[in-house]
Amino acid sequence: MDKVKTLNNITFYNFRSRSVGKHIHDLQKNPRKKVHVDGICYHADLEIICKKYSKKPKLCVNYTYEIIKVSKKEFMIQDVVEMEKIRIPIDVITKHFRLAYASTCHSFQGLSVDTPTTIFYTNTCRVNRRWVWTAITRSTDLSQIQMYQYSDKECYRLKESMISQKLKMKVSS
């Protein structure tokens, strides 16, 4: 994954979105005023995506928010569409948000992207051609699409973990 540098990345799994997002985030230049939370450096102007609904403060799933101000106790974020500013305690950031550099294909549905995008999982047993088509059609320019190809060893490990997960689910139910 060392060669992946695109700011938009489409994955099949949420855990991969988190790892790709962290990888891309680590490549970015960090400003002086920053706060580290769970190994991630947060700073003003950073975009984050809400992954868990909250009534108070009002946070919507798959909405993009921009960090306006950081401190050791709380963040000030702003909804990028409605421009509504919200104060968030620092512990809510890790529970409700993730970095905006990678999302699952399902989260990308309905969006159009006009910047370089890398699509993961295209050569694994888990995805089908409809999923790949949906991922590809998020881009407005096909020359901006890159496909990340997993090695045979990585594909084998993914398949084994999928089988192991299914067996655990059968045993627990």
Side-chain angles (χ1 to χ4, degrees), residues 133-171:
W133 176 255
T134 302
I136 289 172
T137 57
R138 298 308 92 210
S139 179
T140 58
D141 181 0
L142 290 180
S143 67
Q144 299 277 13
I145 295 286
Q146 299 171 21
M147 302 285 191
Y148 181 84
Q149 298 292 306
Y150 288 98
S151 69
D152 290 342
K153 186 177 178 181
E154 288 172 309
C155 287
Y156 182 76
R157 279 190 301 155
L158 286 168
K159 191 172 186 176
E160 276 191 334
S161 68
M162 184 177 74
I163 292 168
S164 173
Q165 185 179 24
K166 284 186 177 185
L167 285 172
K168 284 178 187 176
M169 287 170 42
K170 287 254 186 214
V171 170

Side-chain angles (χ1 to χ4, degrees), residues 72-85:
K72 293 185 180 187
K73 292 185 179 182
E74 67 181 14
F75 289 9
M76 175 71 76
I77 63 172
Q78 179 174 309
D79 180 332
V80 297
V81 175
E82 297 172 9
M83 306 306 274
E84 179 184 344
K85 292 183 180 175

Side-chain angles (χ1 to χ4, degrees), residues 47-52 58-66 77-82 84 86 96-98 100 107:
E47 286 190 350
I48 53 179
I49 296 176
C50 181
K51 295 313 285 177
K52 188 174 180 184
K58 185 182 177 199
L59 301 171
C60 299
V61 174
N62 287 335
Y63 271 44
T64 301
Y65 296 85
E66 182 179 350
I77 63 172
Q78 179 174 309
D79 180 332
V80 297
V81 175
E82 297 172 9
E84 179 184 344
I86 307 165
H96 287 73
F97 293 92
R98 66 169 175 70
S107 296

Side-chain angles (χ1 to χ4, degrees), residues 1-6 8-12 15-17 19-20 23-24 102 116-125 127 131-132 135-136 144-155 157-158:
M1 187 170 19
D2 295 339
K3 294 179 182 179
V4 177
K5 293 179 173 57
T6 53
N8 287 313
N9 298 282
I10 300 174
T11 67
F12 191 80
F15 80 86
R16 181 63 68 192
S17 292
S19 65
V20 171
H23 166 74
I24 298 299
T117 302
T118 301
I119 302 172
F120 289 77
Y121 289 96
T122 56
N123 68 324
T124 64
C125 64
V127 301
W131 183 90
V132 174
I136 289 172
Q144 299 277 13
I145 295 286
Q146 299 171 21
M147 302 285 191
Y148 181 84
Q149 298 292 306
Y150 288 98
S151 69
D152 290 342
K153 186 177 178 181
E154 288 172 309
C155 287
R157 279 190 301 155
L158 286 168

